Amino acid sequence: MTAHVNPQEKAAFIQEEIRAFVRNSPLNRMPDADDDFIFDEPLVQFADGNDSIFNDYKKIIDPSHLTPREALAAAYEKSPGDLPAQLSVVSWILPITGKTRESNRPQKRVPSRLWVYTRWYGEKLNEALRAHVVEVITERGYLATAPMLQPYFKRMDNYAGPLSNWSERHIAYAAGLGTFSLSDGFITERGIAHRCGSVVTDMPLPISPRTAQTPYSNCLFYVNNECRECIPRCPAGAITEQGHDKIRCRDYQHDEIGYIRQRYGVEVAGCGLCQTGVRCEFKNPAKKLKV
Ligand code: B12
Ligand code: SF4
Ligand code: SF4
């Protein structure tokens, strides 16, 4: 791809690369006889790497949360001011398949085998996808990095519980892919049951509009004080009308039901009961309510 190709064509190219990778990668298959897909076709959008929302995240999340400029500069051991003026962020959503969502719906205490596999093997696919997107962009002469794959990526804790210095959902919010919710999950047009990822680059890409009125516009609880279906879904009592208690959620997954890691032979198993059997599971339930 040459420099004269316009940003729209570059965007179409990146979107198709991501879709094709997810369609064709053997990593997007459940590790059992059925050979089912782990994820459906991804949603892909783009944020402006200089969007002021990334500076806001230093207050909303943590001062250590990186801006795209800081993330790209650190990957290339440059100072942020030495990077090109224009930066873009590619953000994608990997919707979890109907079969896996259905298998998790009747669960009351622990996630289904397919959900556990999605957390463990699906994230391997997501990691490979991040590396693939970096590769196809750098092959074309641009800078690119996937912050979650960098040695500087870190998870930490504050008074509210676990967080990180590169929150994939906040990146997806910046790229207009959806909003947060009462359960804390990120509700997209394909719902809340998904995993997500991102890459920062200096490739010029068209900015996707952020149409949500607030960071919670896709959740019925905040739109019209309805729903609350995620509250009784949580076996840890981590979701209330006050929101999501991350410490309770983490402790439930790590300690109380930690034994299922052994059952399914994985290092991380997840939970996600609050993302299935709820009306935001596979769609944006507030869409029709928007004026
Ligand atoms: C640490 C972590 C956890 C922690 C804390 C989760 C959390 N809420 O941050 C624990 C262990 C509890 C956890 C649990 C789970 N996790 Co987790 N986790 C992460 C990780 C590694 C970092 C998250 C992070 O940095 N958070 C930053 C903090 C500050 O976010 P926050 O507290 O939610 O932010 C709130 C405020 O910012 C607030 N807010 C206030 N004012 C404003 C203003 C604006 C403008 C905005 C935008 C927001 C905002 O909105 C947010 C929501 O309330 C990410 C991977 C990554 N690098 O992103 C995965 C990730 C968030 N987890 C994921 C998943 C799937 C799960 C589980 C379902 C487990 C599973 N796989 O089965 C559960 C779901 C819990 C829940 N109810 O949401 C997905 C989320 C996808 C989705 N559908 O939403 C991620 C993105 C992994 C991935 N690559 O896809 N996880
Ligand atoms: S189940 Fe209802 S209240 Fe809970 S996050 Fe989804 S839309 Fe919001
Ligand atoms: S992931 Fe499980 S423990 Fe955490 S809030 Fe959702 S249902 Fe509760």
Side-chain angles (χ1 to χ4, degrees):
M1 179 174 295
T2 51
H4 69 264
V5 172
N6 71 40
Q8 268 72 22
E9 288 168 309
K10 290 186 172 82
F13 165 74
I14 297 292
Q15 282 165 332
E16 185 42 34
E17 275 294 327
I18 291 174
R19 289 185 193 129
F21 189 85
V22 170
R23 205 164 44 235
N24 300 325
S25 172
L27 292 172
N28 190 26
R29 296 300 176 119
M30 286 293 178
D32 58 19
D34 292 343
D35 207 27
D36 287 324
F37 283 104
I38 300 178
F39 297 114
D40 286 337
E41 183 172 277
L43 304 175
V44 186
Q45 292 195 177
F46 309 101
D48 174 359
N50 293 317
D51 193 322
S52 61
I53 199 168
F54 294 112
N55 287 321
D56 299 343
Y57 287 164
K58 288 189 182 288
K59 289 194 205 103
I60 296 166
I61 302 174
D62 190 75
S64 69
H65 197 271
L66 298 164
T67 64
R69 183 166 292 278
E70 289 166 343
L72 191 58
Y76 283 88
E77 296 180 355
K78 286 177 183 255
S79 94
D82 292 341
L83 293 178
Q86 186 179 354
L87 297 181
S88 313
V89 189
V90 184
S91 174
W92 60 83
I93 301 294
L94 301 171
I96 295 175
T97 60
K99 187 169 175 181
T100 299
R101 288 188 277 102
E102 276 163 33
S103 74
N104 217 36
R105 270 183 223 152
Q107 297 300 110
K108 301 264 182 277
R109 212 179 117 66
V110 295
S112 67
R113 177 179 59 88
L114 293 180
W115 188 275
V116 171
Y117 283 174
T118 299
R119 166 62 190 86
W120 183 243
Y121 297 105
E123 187 54 21
K124 304 261 180 237
L125 174 274
N126 203 7
E127 283 172 6
L129 176 59
R130 291 182 183 99
H132 178 72
V133 173
V134 168
E135 191 183 325
V136 295
I137 293 177
T138 51
E139 274 172 4
R140 281 152 187 84
Y142 296 97
L143 307 175
T145 191
M148 263 201 87
L149 297 183
Q150 286 291 325
Y152 60 65
F153 174 74
K154 60 178 195 290
R155 293 159 210 259
M156 58 210 119
D157 277 73
N158 67 11
Y159 68 94
L163 68 151
S164 74
N165 62 351
W166 187 258
S167 169
E168 298 285 24
R169 294 181 308 172
H170 287 78
I171 307 308
Y173 179 80
L177 279 159
T179 80
F180 292 88
S181 67
L182 181 62
S183 74
D184 234 2
F186 188 78
I187 305 178
T188 70
E189 293 308 309
R190 295 290 314 278
I192 199 167
H194 63 82
R195 298 191 67 78
C196 47
S198 61
V199 160
V200 183
T201 177
D202 62 346
M203 179 184 263
L205 291 163
I207 301 161
S208 310
R210 194 156 60 235
T211 54
Q213 311 240 311
T214 78
Y216 295 93
S217 293
N218 292 353
C219 172
L220 293 171
F221 177 77
Y222 295 103
V223 172
N224 61 3
N225 197 22
E226 261 195 26
C227 190
R228 299 171 175 80
E229 284 175 356
C230 48
I231 295 178
R233 279 295 284 151
C234 177
I239 306 170
T240 64
E241 291 194 6
Q242 280 66 54
H244 175 229
D245 181 336
K246 297 195 283 183
I247 298 172
R248 238 174 221 260
C249 173
R250 189 253 325 268
D251 291 351
Y252 183 75
Q253 292 183 54
H254 287 197
D255 307 331
E256 221 160 307
I257 59 164
Y259 63 88
I260 59 165
R261 297 193 288 262
Q262 232 175 338
R263 181 188 293 173
Y264 295 118
V266 297
E267 286 169 39
V268 188
C271 169
L273 298 199
C274 56
Q275 301 193 345
T276 48
V278 288
R279 66 184 93 165
C280 57
E281 179 193 291
F282 56 90
K283 62 172 196 253
N284 169 7
K287 191 171 186 171
K288 288 205 183 109
L289 300 172
K290 281 183 190 149
V291 280

